[in-house]
Amino acid sequence: EKRVDRLIRLLVFCMEYMLRYLVVPGRVENLCVIVDMKGVGLSQVSVSALNEIHRVMTHHFSGRVYRFYVANVPHALSMIAGMVKSL
C-alpha cells in the first residue's frame, strides 16, 4: 500500500511538472504514457493499485493522456487483458 502511494505521488509530480514546464498551450497539451513491464510477473500486478492509478489519472488529468502504451507485457497478463477487453 505504501509503495502504491509513493508511485501515485511520483506520477502526480511528473504530470504536474509536465503541465507547468513542458506543455506549450495551444500546441502540445497531451502526452503518451509508456509503461515497461519487463521483469514483472503476474503475481506482482496489483489490481487495486491499477484501479487507484486509473482513478487519479481520470480525476486529476482527464483529457491529458492521448495514448497509454504497455511494453513487455507478460504472456499470462496479455491473455487476461484480452479476455477482459472482449467483454
Side-chain angles (χ1 to χ4, degrees):
E1 185 67 30
K2 191 172 185 175
R3 293 175 71 186
V4 173
D5 290 342
R6 288 186 70 197
L7 175 64
I8 290 173
R9 287 179 29 194
L10 177 63
L11 179 63
V12 168
F13 171 81
C14 291
M15 291 293 294
E16 291 293 333
Y17 185 90
M18 184 224 36
L19 292 174
R20 180 173 288 174
Y21 298 111
L22 303 176
V23 170
V24 179
R27 295 196 183 261
V28 179
E29 295 182 347
N30 297 352
L31 72 145
C32 293
V33 176
I34 302 171
V35 177
D36 186 5
M37 295 188 71
K38 185 175 184 176
V40 177
L42 185 59
S43 63
Q44 295 171 311
V45 177
S46 167
V47 174
S48 63
L50 294 176
N51 284 335
E52 183 66 17
I53 292 169
H54 179 263
R55 187 189 67 75
V56 169
M57 290 297 287
T58 56
H59 185 264
H60 295 288
F61 304 106
S62 62
R64 292 291 184 180
V65 178
Y66 175 68
R67 298 263 192 225
F68 196 94
Y69 298 103
V70 182
N72 300 317
V73 179
H75 182 68
L77 188 59
S78 174
M79 288 176 40
I80 292 170
M83 290 187 301
V84 170
K85 189 186 286 187
S86 67
L87 296 176

